[in-house]
Coordinates of all heavy atoms in Angstrom, one line a residue:
M1 N -2.1 -4.4 -58.9 CA -2.4 -5.5 -57.9 C -3.4 -6.4 -58.7 O -4.4 -6.0 -59.3 CB -3.1 -4.8 -56.7 CG -3.2 -5.8 -55.5 SD -3.9 -4.9 -54.1 CE -2.8 -3.8 -53.7
D2 N -3.3 -7.7 -58.5 CA -4.0 -8.6 -59.1 C -5.5 -8.7 -58.6 O -5.7 -8.3 -57.5 CB -3.4 -10.1 -59.1 CG -3.3 -10.7 -57.6 OD1 -4.4 -11.0 -57.1 OD2 -2.3 -10.7 -57.0
Q3 N -6.4 -9.2 -59.5 CA -7.8 -9.2 -59.2 C -8.2 -10.0 -58.0 O -9.1 -9.6 -57.3 CB -8.6 -9.5 -60.4 CG -8.4 -8.6 -61.6 CD -8.9 -7.1 -61.1 OE1 -10.0 -7.1 -60.6 NE2 -8.1 -6.1 -61.5
D4 N -7.5 -11.1 -57.8 CA -7.9 -12.0 -56.7 C -7.4 -11.2 -55.3 O -8.3 -11.3 -54.4 CB -7.1 -13.3 -56.8 CG -7.5 -14.2 -57.8 OD1 -8.7 -14.0 -58.3 OD2 -6.8 -15.1 -58.3
R5 N -6.4 -10.6 -55.4 CA -6.0 -9.7 -54.1 C -7.0 -8.7 -53.8 O -7.4 -8.5 -52.7 CB -4.4 -9.3 -54.2 CG -4.0 -8.7 -53.0 CD -2.6 -8.3 -53.3 NE -2.0 -7.9 -52.0 CZ -0.7 -7.5 -52.0 NH1 0.2 -7.7 -52.9 NH2 -0.2 -7.1 -50.7
L6 N -7.4 -7.9 -54.9 CA -8.3 -6.8 -54.8 C -9.6 -7.4 -54.2 O -10.3 -6.8 -53.4 CB -8.5 -6.1 -56.0 CG -7.4 -5.2 -56.5 CD1 -7.6 -4.7 -57.9 CD2 -7.2 -4.1 -55.4
A7 N -10.1 -8.5 -54.8 CA -11.5 -9.0 -54.3 C -11.4 -9.5 -52.9 O -12.3 -9.4 -52.1 CB -11.6 -10.2 -55.2
L8 N -10.3 -10.1 -52.5 CA -10.0 -10.4 -51.1 C -10.0 -9.2 -50.2 O -10.7 -9.2 -49.1 CB -8.8 -11.3 -51.0 CG -8.5 -11.8 -49.6 CD1 -9.7 -12.6 -49.0 CD2 -7.2 -12.7 -49.6
L9 N -9.3 -8.2 -50.5 CA -9.2 -7.0 -49.8 C -10.7 -6.3 -49.6 O -11.1 -5.8 -48.7 CB -8.4 -5.9 -50.4 CG -6.9 -6.2 -50.2 CD1 -6.1 -5.2 -51.0 CD2 -6.5 -6.1 -48.6
K10 N -11.5 -6.4 -50.7 CA -12.8 -5.9 -50.6 C -13.7 -6.8 -49.7 O -14.5 -6.3 -48.9 CB -13.5 -6.0 -52.1 CG -14.9 -5.4 -52.2 CD -15.5 -5.5 -53.5 CE -16.8 -4.8 -53.5 NZ -17.7 -5.3 -54.5
R11 N -13.5 -8.0 -49.8 CA -14.3 -8.9 -48.8 C -13.9 -8.7 -47.4 O -14.8 -8.7 -46.5 CB -14.2 -10.3 -49.2 CG -14.8 -10.7 -50.5 CD -14.6 -12.1 -51.1 NE -14.9 -13.1 -50.1 CZ -14.4 -14.3 -49.9 NH1 -13.4 -14.7 -50.8 NH2 -14.8 -15.1 -49.0
I12 N -12.6 -8.5 -47.2 CA -12.2 -8.1 -45.9 C -12.8 -6.8 -45.4 O -13.3 -6.6 -44.2 CB -10.6 -8.0 -45.7 CG1 -10.1 -9.3 -45.8 CG2 -10.1 -7.2 -44.6 CD1 -8.5 -9.5 -46.1
G13 N -12.7 -5.8 -46.3 CA -13.4 -4.5 -45.9 C -15.0 -4.6 -45.5 O -15.3 -4.0 -44.6
E14 N -15.6 -5.4 -46.2 CA -17.1 -5.6 -46.2 C -17.3 -6.3 -44.8 O -18.2 -5.9 -44.0 CB -17.6 -6.4 -47.2 CG -17.7 -5.7 -48.6 CD -17.9 -6.7 -49.8 OE1 -18.0 -7.9 -49.6 OE2 -18.2 -6.0 -50.9
A15 N -16.5 -7.3 -44.5 CA -16.7 -8.0 -43.2 C -16.3 -7.1 -42.0 O -16.9 -7.1 -41.0 CB -15.9 -9.4 -43.3
R16 N -15.3 -6.4 -42.2 CA -14.8 -5.4 -41.1 C -15.9 -4.4 -40.9 O -16.4 -4.1 -39.8 CB -13.5 -4.8 -41.5 CG -13.0 -4.0 -40.3 CD -11.5 -3.5 -40.8 NE -10.6 -4.6 -40.3 CZ -9.5 -4.9 -41.1 NH1 -9.2 -4.1 -42.2 NH2 -8.7 -5.9 -40.8
F17 N -16.4 -3.9 -42.0 CA -17.6 -2.8 -41.8 C -18.6 -3.3 -41.1 O -19.3 -2.8 -40.1 CB -17.9 -2.3 -43.2 CG -19.1 -1.5 -43.1 CD1 -19.0 -0.1 -43.0 CD2 -20.4 -1.8 -43.4 CE1 -20.1 0.8 -42.8 CE2 -21.6 -1.1 -43.4 CZ -21.4 0.3 -43.2
T18 N -19.1 -4.7 -41.5 CA -20.3 -5.3 -40.8 C -20.1 -5.4 -39.4 O -20.8 -5.3 -38.6 CB -20.7 -6.5 -41.5 OG1 -20.9 -6.4 -42.9 CG2 -21.9 -7.4 -40.9
C19 N -18.9 -6.0 -39.0 CA -18.4 -6.2 -37.5 C -18.6 -4.9 -36.7 O -19.1 -4.9 -35.6 CB -17.0 -6.8 -37.5 SG -16.9 -8.6 -37.9
V20 N -17.9 -3.9 -37.3 CA -18.1 -2.5 -36.6 C -19.5 -2.0 -36.4 O -19.9 -1.6 -35.4 CB -17.3 -1.5 -37.5 CG1 -17.4 0.0 -36.9 CG2 -15.8 -1.8 -37.4
E21 N -20.3 -2.2 -37.5 CA -21.7 -1.7 -37.3 C -22.4 -2.5 -36.4 O -23.2 -2.0 -35.6 CB -22.5 -1.7 -38.7 CG -21.9 -0.6 -39.8 CD -22.0 0.7 -39.2 OE1 -23.2 1.1 -38.8 OE2 -21.0 1.5 -39.1
L22 N -22.2 -3.9 -36.3 CA -22.9 -4.8 -35.4 C -22.4 -4.5 -34.0 O -23.2 -4.4 -33.1 CB -22.7 -6.2 -35.9 CG -23.6 -6.8 -37.0 CD1 -23.2 -8.1 -37.4 CD2 -25.2 -6.8 -36.5
N23 N -21.2 -4.2 -33.9 CA -20.7 -3.8 -32.5 C -21.3 -2.6 -32.1 O -21.7 -2.5 -30.9 CB -19.1 -3.7 -32.6 CG -18.5 -3.7 -31.3 OD1 -18.8 -4.4 -30.3 ND2 -17.6 -2.7 -31.1
L24 N -21.4 -1.6 -32.9 CA -22.1 -0.4 -32.4 C -23.5 -0.6 -32.1 O -24.0 0.0 -31.0 CB -22.0 0.7 -33.6 CG -20.6 1.3 -33.8 CD1 -20.7 2.1 -35.0 CD2 -20.1 2.0 -32.7
Y25 N -24.2 -1.4 -32.9 CA -25.6 -1.7 -32.6 C -25.7 -2.5 -31.2 O -26.5 -2.2 -30.4 CB -26.1 -2.7 -33.6 CG -27.5 -3.0 -33.4 CD1 -28.7 -2.3 -33.6 CD2 -27.8 -4.3 -32.9 CE1 -29.9 -2.6 -33.4 CE2 -29.1 -4.9 -32.6 CZ -30.2 -3.9 -32.9 OH -31.4 -4.4 -32.6
L26 N -24.8 -3.4 -31.1 CA -24.8 -4.2 -29.7 C -24.5 -3.2 -28.6 O -24.9 -3.6 -27.4 CB -23.9 -5.4 -29.8 CG -24.5 -6.4 -30.8 CD1 -23.3 -7.6 -31.0 CD2 -25.6 -7.2 -30.1
D27 N -23.8 -2.2 -28.8 CA -23.6 -1.2 -27.6 C -24.9 -0.7 -27.0 O -25.0 -0.4 -25.8 CB -22.7 -0.1 -28.1 CG -21.3 -0.4 -28.2 OD1 -20.9 -1.5 -27.6 OD2 -20.6 0.4 -28.7
T28 N -25.9 -0.5 -27.9 CA -27.0 0.0 -27.3 C -28.2 -1.1 -27.3 O -29.3 -0.8 -26.9 CB -27.7 1.1 -28.4 OG1 -27.7 0.5 -29.7 CG2 -26.6 2.3 -28.5
H29 N -27.9 -2.3 -27.8 CA -29.0 -3.4 -27.7 C -28.3 -4.8 -27.3 O -28.2 -5.6 -28.0 CB -29.7 -3.6 -29.2 CG -30.3 -2.4 -29.7 ND1 -29.7 -1.3 -30.3 CD2 -31.7 -2.0 -29.7 CE1 -30.6 -0.4 -30.6 NE2 -31.8 -0.8 -30.2
P30 N -27.7 -4.7 -26.2 CA -26.9 -5.7 -25.7 C -27.7 -7.1 -25.6 O -26.9 -8.2 -25.6 CB -26.3 -5.4 -24.4 CG -27.3 -4.3 -24.0 CD -27.8 -3.6 -25.2
D31 N -29.0 -7.0 -25.5 CA -29.7 -8.3 -25.3 C -30.3 -9.0 -26.6 O -30.9 -9.7 -26.7 CB -30.9 -8.0 -24.5 CG -30.4 -7.6 -23.0 OD1 -29.4 -8.0 -22.6 OD2 -31.2 -6.8 -22.4
D32 N -29.9 -8.3 -27.8 CA -30.3 -8.8 -29.1 C -29.4 -9.9 -29.5 O -28.4 -9.8 -30.0 CB -30.3 -7.7 -30.1 CG -30.9 -8.0 -31.4 OD1 -31.0 -9.3 -31.8 OD2 -31.1 -7.1 -32.1
M33 N -30.0 -11.1 -29.3 CA -29.2 -12.3 -29.5 C -28.9 -12.7 -30.9 O -28.0 -13.3 -31.3 CB -29.8 -13.5 -28.8 CG -29.8 -13.5 -27.2 SD -28.0 -13.4 -26.6 CE -28.1 -11.9 -25.7
A34 N -30.0 -12.3 -31.8 CA -29.7 -12.5 -33.2 C -28.6 -11.6 -33.7 O -27.7 -12.1 -34.5 CB -31.0 -12.2 -33.8
A35 N -28.5 -10.4 -33.3 CA -27.4 -9.5 -33.6 C -26.2 -10.0 -33.1 O -25.1 -10.0 -33.8 CB -27.7 -8.0 -33.2
R36 N -26.2 -10.5 -31.9 CA -24.8 -11.1 -31.3 C -24.3 -12.2 -32.1 O -23.2 -12.5 -32.5 CB -25.1 -11.4 -29.9 CG -23.8 -12.0 -29.1 CD -23.9 -12.1 -27.7 NE -24.4 -10.7 -27.2 CZ -23.7 -9.7 -27.0 NH1 -22.3 -9.7 -27.3 NH2 -24.1 -8.5 -26.3
A37 N -25.4 -13.0 -32.5 CA -25.0 -14.2 -33.4 C -24.5 -13.9 -34.7 O -23.4 -14.4 -35.1 CB -26.3 -15.2 -33.5
D38 N -25.1 -12.8 -35.3 CA -24.6 -12.3 -36.6 C -23.1 -11.6 -36.4 O -22.2 -11.8 -37.2 CB -25.5 -11.2 -37.2 CG -26.8 -11.7 -37.6 OD1 -26.8 -12.9 -37.9 OD2 -27.8 -10.8 -37.9
F39 N -23.0 -11.0 -35.3 CA -21.7 -10.4 -35.1 C -20.7 -11.6 -34.9 O -19.4 -11.5 -35.4 CB -21.6 -9.6 -33.7 CG -20.2 -9.1 -33.3 CD1 -19.7 -8.0 -33.9 CD2 -19.5 -9.9 -32.4 CE1 -18.3 -7.6 -33.7 CE2 -18.2 -9.3 -32.1 CZ -17.7 -8.3 -32.7
N40 N -20.9 -12.6 -34.2 CA -19.9 -13.7 -34.0 C -19.7 -14.5 -35.4 O -18.5 -14.8 -35.7 CB -20.5 -14.7 -33.0 CG -20.5 -14.2 -31.6 OD1 -19.6 -13.3 -31.3 ND2 -21.4 -14.7 -30.8
T41 N -20.7 -14.5 -36.1 CA -20.6 -15.2 -37.6 C -19.6 -14.3 -38.4 O -18.7 -14.8 -39.0 CB -21.9 -15.4 -38.2 OG1 -22.7 -16.2 -37.4 CG2 -21.8 -15.8 -39.6
Y42 N -19.9 -13.0 -38.4 CA -19.1 -12.1 -39.3 C -17.6 -12.0 -38.6 O -16.7 -11.8 -39.5 CB -19.6 -10.7 -39.5 CG -20.7 -10.8 -40.6 CD1 -22.1 -11.1 -40.4 CD2 -20.2 -10.6 -41.9 CE1 -22.9 -11.0 -41.5 CE2 -21.1 -10.7 -42.9 CZ -22.4 -10.8 -42.7 OH -23.4 -10.9 -43.7
S43 N -17.5 -12.0 -37.4 CA -16.2 -11.9 -36.7 C -15.3 -13.1 -37.2 O -14.2 -13.0 -37.4 CB -16.4 -11.9 -35.3 OG -15.2 -11.8 -34.6
D44 N -16.0 -14.3 -37.1 CA -15.3 -15.5 -37.6 C -15.0 -15.4 -39.1 O -13.8 -15.8 -39.4 CB -16.1 -16.8 -37.3 CG -16.3 -17.0 -35.8 OD1 -15.5 -16.5 -35.1 OD2 -17.2 -17.8 -35.3
K45 N -15.9 -14.9 -39.9 CA -15.6 -14.8 -41.3 C -14.5 -13.7 -41.5 O -13.6 -14.0 -42.3 CB -16.9 -14.2 -42.0 CG -16.7 -14.0 -43.4 CD -18.0 -13.6 -44.0 CE -17.9 -13.3 -45.5 NZ -19.2 -12.8 -46.2
L46 N -14.4 -12.7 -40.8 CA -13.4 -11.8 -40.9 C -12.1 -12.4 -40.6 O -11.1 -12.2 -41.5 CB -13.6 -10.7 -40.0 CG -12.5 -9.5 -40.0 CD1 -12.2 -8.9 -41.5 CD2 -12.9 -8.3 -39.0
Q47 N -12.0 -13.1 -39.5 CA -10.7 -13.7 -39.1 C -10.2 -14.8 -40.2 O -9.1 -14.8 -40.6 CB -10.8 -14.4 -37.8 CG -9.6 -14.9 -37.2 CD -8.5 -13.7 -37.0 OE1 -8.7 -12.7 -36.3 NE2 -7.4 -13.9 -37.7
A48 N -11.2 -15.5 -40.8 CA -10.8 -16.5 -41.8 C -10.2 -15.7 -43.1 O -9.4 -16.2 -43.7 CB -12.0 -17.2 -42.2
L49 N -11.0 -14.6 -43.4 CA -10.4 -13.8 -44.6 C -9.1 -13.2 -44.2 O -8.1 -13.2 -45.2 CB -11.4 -12.8 -44.8 CG -12.7 -13.1 -45.4 CD1 -13.7 -12.0 -45.4 CD2 -12.5 -13.7 -47.0
L50 N -8.9 -12.7 -43.0 CA -7.5 -12.2 -42.6 C -6.4 -13.3 -42.8 O -5.4 -13.1 -43.2 CB -7.6 -11.4 -41.3 CG -8.4 -10.2 -41.3 CD1 -8.6 -9.8 -39.8 CD2 -7.7 -9.1 -42.0
D51 N -6.8 -14.4 -42.3 CA -6.0 -15.6 -42.2 C -5.5 -16.0 -43.7 O -4.3 -16.2 -44.0 CB -6.5 -16.7 -41.6 CG -6.5 -16.6 -40.0 OD1 -5.9 -15.6 -39.5 OD2 -7.3 -17.4 -39.4
T52 N -6.5 -16.0 -44.6 CA -6.2 -16.3 -45.9 C -5.4 -15.2 -46.7 O -4.4 -15.4 -47.4 CB -7.6 -16.3 -46.7 OG1 -8.4 -17.4 -46.3 CG2 -7.3 -16.5 -48.2
Y53 N -5.6 -13.9 -46.3 CA -4.8 -12.9 -46.9 C -3.3 -13.0 -46.4 O -2.4 -13.0 -47.1 CB -5.3 -11.5 -46.4 CG -4.6 -10.4 -47.2 CD1 -5.0 -9.9 -48.4 CD2 -3.4 -9.8 -46.8 CE1 -4.4 -8.8 -49.1 CE2 -2.8 -9.0 -47.4 CZ -3.2 -8.4 -48.5 OH -2.6 -7.3 -49.3
T54 N -3.2 -13.2 -45.0 CA -1.8 -13.3 -44.4 C -1.0 -14.6 -45.1 O 0.0 -14.4 -45.3 CB -1.9 -13.5 -42.9 OG1 -2.7 -12.3 -42.4 CG2 -0.6 -13.6 -42.2
S55 N -1.7 -15.7 -45.2 CA -1.0 -16.8 -45.7 C -0.7 -16.6 -47.2 O 0.4 -17.2 -47.7 CB -1.7 -18.1 -45.5 OG -3.0 -18.1 -46.3
T56 N -1.5 -15.9 -47.9 CA -1.2 -15.6 -49.4 C -0.2 -14.5 -49.7 O 0.6 -14.6 -50.5 CB -2.5 -15.5 -50.0 OG1 -3.4 -16.6 -49.7 CG2 -2.3 -15.6 -51.6
Y57 N -0.4 -13.4 -49.0 CA 0.2 -12.1 -49.4 C 1.0 -11.5 -48.1 O 1.8 -10.7 -48.5 CB -0.9 -11.1 -49.8 CG -1.7 -11.5 -50.9 CD1 -3.1 -11.8 -50.7 CD2 -1.2 -11.6 -52.2 CE1 -3.9 -12.2 -51.7 CE2 -2.1 -12.1 -53.3 CZ -3.4 -12.4 -53.0 OH -4.1 -12.8 -54.1
G58 N 1.0 -12.2 -47.0 CA 1.7 -11.6 -45.9 C 0.7 -10.8 -45.0 O -0.5 -10.5 -45.4
P59 N 1.2 -10.3 -43.9 CA 0.4 -9.5 -43.0 C -0.2 -8.2 -43.7 O 0.5 -7.5 -44.3 CB 1.2 -9.2 -41.8 CG 2.5 -9.7 -42.1 CD 2.5 -10.4 -43.3
L60 N -1.6 -7.9 -43.3 CA -2.1 -6.8 -43.8 C -1.8 -5.6 -43.0 O -1.8 -4.3 -43.5 CB -3.6 -7.0 -43.9 CG -4.6 -6.0 -44.6 CD1 -4.0 -5.8 -46.0 CD2 -6.0 -6.4 -44.6
M61 N -1.7 -5.9 -41.7 CA -1.4 -4.7 -40.8 C -0.1 -5.1 -39.9 O 0.4 -6.2 -40.0 CB -2.5 -4.7 -39.7 CG -3.8 -4.2 -40.5 SD -5.3 -4.2 -39.4 CE -4.8 -3.5 -37.9
N62 N 0.5 -4.1 -39.3 CA 1.8 -4.3 -38.7 C 1.7 -4.9 -37.2 O 2.6 -5.1 -36.5 CB 2.5 -3.0 -38.5 CG 1.8 -1.9 -37.8 OD1 0.7 -1.9 -37.6 ND2 2.6 -0.9 -37.3
F63 N 0.5 -5.1 -36.8 CA 0.2 -5.6 -35.5 C -1.1 -6.4 -35.3 O -2.0 -6.0 -36.1 CB 0.3 -4.5 -34.4 CG -0.7 -3.4 -34.3 CD1 -1.8 -3.7 -33.7 CD2 -0.4 -2.4 -35.3 CE1 -2.8 -2.6 -33.9 CE2 -1.4 -1.4 -35.4 CZ -2.6 -1.5 -34.7
G64 N -1.2 -7.3 -34.4 CA -2.3 -7.8 -34.0 C -3.0 -8.8 -34.9 O -4.1 -9.5 -34.7
Q65 N -2.3 -9.3 -36.0 CA -2.8 -10.4 -36.7 C -1.9 -11.5 -37.0 O -2.3 -12.5 -37.3 CB -3.2 -9.7 -38.1 CG -4.3 -8.8 -38.1 CD -4.8 -8.2 -39.5 OE1 -4.3 -7.2 -39.8 NE2 -5.5 -9.0 -40.1
C66 N -0.6 -11.2 -37.0 CA 0.4 -12.4 -37.3 C 1.5 -12.2 -36.2 O 2.5 -11.8 -36.6 CB 0.7 -12.3 -38.7 SG 1.7 -13.7 -39.3
A67 N 1.4 -12.8 -35.0 CA 2.3 -12.7 -34.0 C 3.7 -13.4 -34.3 O 4.7 -12.9 -34.0 CB 1.9 -13.3 -32.8
L68 N 3.6 -14.4 -35.3 CA 4.9 -15.1 -35.6 C 5.7 -14.3 -36.7 O 6.8 -14.6 -36.9 CB 4.5 -16.4 -36.2 CG 3.8 -17.3 -35.2 CD1 3.4 -18.6 -35.9 CD2 4.7 -17.6 -34.0
D69 N 5.2 -13.4 -37.4 CA 5.8 -12.7 -38.5 C 6.0 -11.2 -38.3 O 5.8 -10.3 -39.1 CB 4.9 -13.0 -39.7 CG 5.7 -13.1 -41.0 OD1 7.0 -13.1 -40.9 OD2 5.2 -13.3 -42.2
T70 N 6.2 -10.9 -37.1 CA 6.5 -9.5 -36.7 C 7.3 -8.8 -37.5 O 8.6 -9.1 -37.7 CB 6.8 -9.3 -35.2 OG1 6.0 -10.1 -34.4 CG2 6.9 -7.9 -34.7
G71 N 7.1 -7.6 -38.0 CA 7.8 -6.8 -38.9 C 8.0 -7.2 -40.4 O 8.4 -6.5 -41.2
S72 N 7.4 -8.3 -40.7 CA 7.4 -8.7 -42.1 C 6.7 -7.9 -43.2 O 6.8 -7.7 -44.3 CB 6.9 -10.1 -42.4 OG 5.6 -10.3 -42.1
W73 N 5.6 -7.1 -42.5 CA 4.8 -6.2 -43.3 C 5.6 -5.1 -44.1 O 5.2 -4.6 -45.0 CB 3.6 -5.5 -42.5 CG 4.2 -4.7 -41.4 CD1 4.7 -5.1 -40.1 CD2 4.4 -3.2 -41.4 NE1 4.9 -4.1 -39.3 CE2 4.9 -2.7 -40.2 CE3 4.2 -2.4 -42.3 CZ2 5.2 -1.6 -39.8 CZ3 4.5 -1.0 -42.0 CH2 5.0 -0.7 -40.7
V74 N 6.7 -4.7 -43.4 CA 7.5 -3.7 -44.0 C 8.2 -4.1 -45.2 O 8.4 -3.4 -46.3 CB 8.7 -3.4 -43.0 CG1 9.6 -2.3 -43.6 CG2 8.1 -2.7 -41.7
R75 N 8.5 -5.5 -45.4 CA 9.2 -6.0 -46.4 C 8.2 -6.4 -47.6 O 8.6 -6.5 -48.8 CB 10.0 -7.2 -46.1 CG 11.2 -7.0 -45.2 CD 12.0 -8.1 -44.9 NE 11.1 -9.2 -44.2 CZ 10.9 -9.3 -42.9 NH1 11.4 -8.3 -42.0 NH2 10.3 -10.2 -42.4
S76 N 7.0 -6.4 -47.3 CA 6.0 -6.7 -48.4 C 5.4 -5.6 -49.2 O 5.6 -4.5 -48.5 CB 4.8 -7.6 -47.8 OG 4.2 -7.0 -46.8
P77 N 4.8 -5.8 -50.2 CA 4.2 -4.5 -50.9 C 3.2 -4.0 -50.2 O 2.3 -4.6 -49.5 CB 3.7 -5.1 -52.3 CG 4.3 -6.4 -52.5 CD 4.7 -6.9 -51.0
W78 N 2.9 -2.7 -50.1 CA 1.9 -2.0 -49.5 C 0.6 -2.3 -50.2 O 0.6 -2.5 -51.4 CB 2.2 -0.5 -49.5 CG 3.4 -0.2 -48.6 CD1 4.7 -0.2 -49.0 CD2 3.4 0.0 -47.2 NE1 5.4 0.1 -47.9 CE2 4.8 0.2 -46.7 CE3 2.4 0.1 -46.2 CZ2 5.2 0.5 -45.5 CZ3 2.8 0.3 -44.9 CH2 4.2 0.4 -44.5
P79 N -0.5 -2.3 -49.5 CA -1.8 -2.7 -50.1 C -2.1 -1.9 -51.4 O -2.8 -2.2 -52.3 CB -2.8 -2.4 -49.1 CG -2.2 -2.5 -47.9 CD -0.7 -2.1 -48.1
W80 N -1.6 -0.5 -51.5 CA -2.0 0.2 -52.7 C -1.0 0.2 -53.7 O -1.1 0.6 -54.9 CB -2.2 1.7 -52.2 CG -0.8 2.2 -51.6 CD1 0.4 2.8 -52.2 CD2 -0.6 2.3 -50.2 NE1 1.2 3.2 -51.2 CE2 0.7 2.9 -50.1 CE3 -1.3 1.9 -49.0 CZ2 1.2 3.1 -48.8 CZ3 -0.8 2.1 -47.8 CH2 0.6 2.6 -47.7
E81 N 0.2 -0.5 -53.6 CA 1.2 -0.8 -54.6 C 0.8 -1.9 -55.6 O 0.3 -2.8 -55.2 CB 2.6 -1.2 -53.9 CG 3.1 0.1 -53.1 CD 4.5 -0.3 -52.5 OE1 4.7 -1.5 -52.2 OE2 5.3 0.6 -52.4
T82 N 1.3 -1.8 -56.7 CA 0.8 -2.8 -57.7 C 2.1 -3.9 -57.6 O 3.2 -3.6 -57.2 CB 1.0 -2.3 -59.1 OG1 2.2 -1.7 -59.4 CG2 -0.3 -1.3 -59.4
V83 N 1.6 -5.1 -57.9 CA 2.6 -6.1 -57.7 C 3.1 -6.6 -59.1 O 2.5 -6.6 -60.0 CB 1.9 -7.4 -56.9 CG1 2.9 -8.7 -56.9 CG2 1.4 -7.0 -55.6

């Protein structure tokens, strides 16, 4: 797998991890507006990264990310396969 793709996958993982952690924090601290702003920022960043991946390499998941390209993930290389 090329280095650009690996780097993009790493950035997606980091943004997704941050969103999950902030979401868990907000479950117990719903009035923390700074954390909510951070969550919204990282959520937007994650969506932008997913959009970039989808437009460059195809959908990363089989649902929830690319409604116009349903099923195309089966025809593209799996994330762990070399290209």
